[in-house]
Amino acid sequence: MTVLVYLEHAEGEVDEPSLQALTLARAFSGGGVQAVCARVESTQSPLADLAGHGVETLHVAEGDAFASYAPRAVAEAIVELAGRLEATAVVGPGTERGNEVMAHIGALLDLPVAANCVAATAADGGAEVTRVRWGGSLLEVARLHATTMLLTVQPHTVAVESTTGAAPALETFTPTVSDTAASVRVVDRVGASTGGISLAEAKVVVSGGRGAGSTEGFAVVEELAGLLGAAVGCSRAVTMAGWRPHTDQVGQTGTKIAPDLYIACGISGATQHMAGCKGAKRLLAINSDREAPILASADYAVIGDMHEILPALSAAIRAATPS
Ligand SMILES: Cc1cc2nc3c(=O)[nH]c(=O)nc-3n(C[C@H](O)[C@H](O)[C@H](O)COP(=O)(O)OP(=O)(O)OC[C@H]3O[C@@H](n4cnc5c(N)ncnc54)[C@H](O)[C@@H]3O)c2cc1C
């Protein structure tokens, strides 16, 4: 069985959800896997991150179409490579981009994509997959049969497991892509408002909800986040009100996070919000309503007004921090 894994990387550094996809793909194949990524514009090679992850060969797609992220071009490259390798399955990270690329592959091959998988085993010439459904409120076990099985891996649900083995062999290839393949591509990047800390990767996230009250109400959230070296997040009520950009939104239709500590302030705990922070190791809820649903999921809670509690917390941290 040949399993091909699509890897995302930033400046040559393979991201965590891609390593998680590799772990699931290895369990599925029962051995080594092949990997593919788009052209690398960096002195750092993704090869360095791949030693001990069971990748036999890393195939790097070269060509002008891969100068920036262009989902259709990446999908066409993977379809070409998967055909050449006679891949049984293509597995990708279940990030926004990973899902986008895999959806294009499904459309190109006219095959189904099993999204948000947390486990996959070979069964009856196909696969038995367990996947997250309904914003994380249930797990579905399903059988997948297709000439090439297409899977994405729900981020932060599969722990990265390394194995023994050296870095993979490197092979570049220049796929034939259609004239319009790169017509949807990244043309500009706007820095996130999280002070350079990636919401998806942050160890600590401080989020505000409707309880913050306004754009200005986030000053107390930003102050605490700054002291903790945390990223700032928010609920959809906040992005809908225009208080914060969508890039800050945690949840089913926002970013999925897995910090060591998630501090949720003035957030009720709707299922769509909790779907994005299920991966948090510890949850501290700060809410004025002791009946708020989020308290059922919280490890710690402070009942009270976030506009009083957050400044008090920040002051205590400052007092305890040697100057
Ligand atoms: C298809 C779909 C997708 C969605 N995707 C997302 C998503 O990705 N992310 C997301 O967040 N939501 C999402 N939602 C919206 C979700 O259902 C909720 O409406 C939203 O999460 C509510 O945001 P909130 O908790 O900030 O506001 P509310 O539910 O209004 O809660 C505000 C909370 O603040 C508390 N509060 C008020 N004042 C204070 C104060 N001064 N101090 C402390 N606490 C205070 C209140 O007690 C309350 O618990 C989605 C909805 C749908 C239908």
Side-chain angles (χ1 to χ4, degrees), residues 1-2 28 86-90 105-106 109-114 123-129 142-151:
M1 166 188 308
T2 301
F28 179 54
E86 298 182 359
T88 321
V90 180
I105 295 174
L109 295 175
D110 197 18
L111 290 174
V113 179
D124 293 341
E128 181 171 288
V129 295
R143 287 283 169 101
L144 178 65
H145 291 279
T147 43
T148 309
M149 287 171 284
L150 307 176
L151 277 61

Side-chain angles (χ1 to χ4, degrees), residues 110-312:
D110 197 18
L111 290 174
V113 179
N116 305 325
C117 295
V118 297
T121 51
D124 293 341
E128 181 171 288
V129 295
T130 307
R131 58 198 204 111
V132 174
R133 298 296 309 272
W134 291 8
S137 46
L138 66 85
L139 289 174
E140 171 193 271
V141 178
R143 287 283 169 101
L144 178 65
H145 291 279
T147 43
T148 309
M149 287 171 284
L150 307 176
L151 277 61
T152 70
V153 179
Q154 172 85 352
H156 309 303
T157 53
V158 176
V160 175
E161 279 174 24
S162 46
T163 173
T164 51
L170 177 67
E171 277 187 22
T172 58
F173 69 114
T174 308
T176 307
V177 294
S178 61
D179 294 344
T180 53
S183 49
V184 174
R185 65 186 188 283
V186 172
V187 292
D188 192 15
R189 287 170 201 276
V190 179
S193 57
T194 50
I197 301 166
S198 148
L199 190 55
E201 309 269 317
K203 295 284 177 215
V204 182
V205 174
V206 187
S207 274
R210 202 192 303 273
S214 63
T215 304
E216 296 71 33
F218 267 81
V220 289
V221 177
E222 282 177 345
E223 182 188 26
L224 180 63
L227 288 166
L228 295 174
V232 173
C234 69
S235 69
R236 177 150 135 173
V238 167
T239 53
M240 297 291 278
W243 301 342
R244 304 288 297 187
H246 181 261
T247 46
D248 286 4
Q249 184 179 312
V250 171
Q252 184 182 329
T253 48
T255 301
K256 309 227 173 15
I257 61 171
D260 292 339
L261 176 63
Y262 183 43
I263 306 179
C265 316
I267 293 176
S268 60
T271 49
Q272 297 91 349
H273 185 82
M274 302 313 288
C277 61
K278 265 186 182 349
K281 293 196 183 70
R282 289 279 181 274
L283 168 58
L284 162 61
I286 299 174
N287 201 299
S288 52
D289 176 9
R290 63 178 62 250
E291 303 291 330
I294 198 166
L295 299 182
S297 310
D299 297 286
Y300 315 100
V302 181
I303 307 301
D305 185 342
M306 60 180 278
H307 296 288
E308 291 171 12
I309 291 157
L310 293 191

Side-chain angles (χ1 to χ4, degrees), residues 6 8 69 71 93-102 186 189:
Y6 166 53
E8 293 180 314
Y69 171 69
T95 56
E96 284 188 16
R97 288 185 173 186
N99 281 328
E100 187 175 31
V101 167
M102 296 298 292
V186 172
R189 287 170 201 276

